[in-house]
Amino acid sequence: MELQNDLIEIISLSGDVKRKFLKAVKHAKNDEAEKAEEIYQEADDQLINAHLKQTELIKKEANGEKVESSLMLTHAQDHLMTAILLRDMAKEFMDLYARLEN
């Protein structure tokens, strides 16, 4: 049950993070760079929490504790990886919009 709760937390955090990164890009697009950066930073902090939860699972497995592979585990990993990619892309878009405004 603990594993399932951890996976749900990773999925939930990652989904929220993705929405925030996209919101940051929209603010950058609307020439609201300060607001964009604020939301981006908030999302990045949350992403760290999701990544730490994943790291806990990896440590458990590395220490010999069985971590069952499941569709939910795969789904959580997919959400986390997508959020990490979106973080990088959001920053690129924010930088691009900032250059276009200057």
Side-chain angles (χ1 to χ4, degrees):
M1 188 63 152
E2 182 184 341
L3 175 60
Q4 188 173 8
N5 289 338
D6 289 343
L7 296 176
I8 289 170
E9 187 174 355
I10 291 169
I11 292 165
S12 177
L13 284 169
S14 297
D16 191 42
V17 161
K18 290 188 288 185
R19 281 187 295 278
K20 286 180 180 176
F21 283 135
L22 290 172
K23 188 175 180 181
V25 170
K26 283 186 180 184
H27 281 288
K29 184 178 182 180
N30 292 328
D31 195 22
E32 300 168 337
E34 199 170 294
K35 184 69 175 172
E37 189 59 41
E38 176 186 321
I39 293 170
Y40 178 91
Q41 198 56 53
E42 185 180 309
D44 197 41
D45 291 344
Q46 266 188 292
L47 183 58
I48 290 168
N49 291 334
H51 195 258
L52 287 173
K53 192 56 83 169
Q54 177 203 41
T55 302
E56 287 175 23
L57 296 175
I58 292 169
K59 283 181 182 178
K60 284 180 182 179
E61 189 170 71
N63 289 329
E65 192 173 322
K66 182 82 171 136
V67 176
E68 289 294 323
S69 182
S70 67
L71 184 57
M72 188 174 239
L73 175 63
T74 302
H75 187 61
Q77 289 297 110
D78 181 50
H79 270 281
L80 182 58
M81 291 180 346
T82 303
I84 292 168
L85 176 62
L86 189 53
R87 176 195 58 195
D88 299 341
M89 295 306 301
K91 191 62 168 169
E92 290 298 319
F93 278 112
M94 289 166 59
D95 291 347
L96 180 60
Y97 282 124
R99 288 179 63 192
L100 290 174
E101 294 301 322
N102 293 328

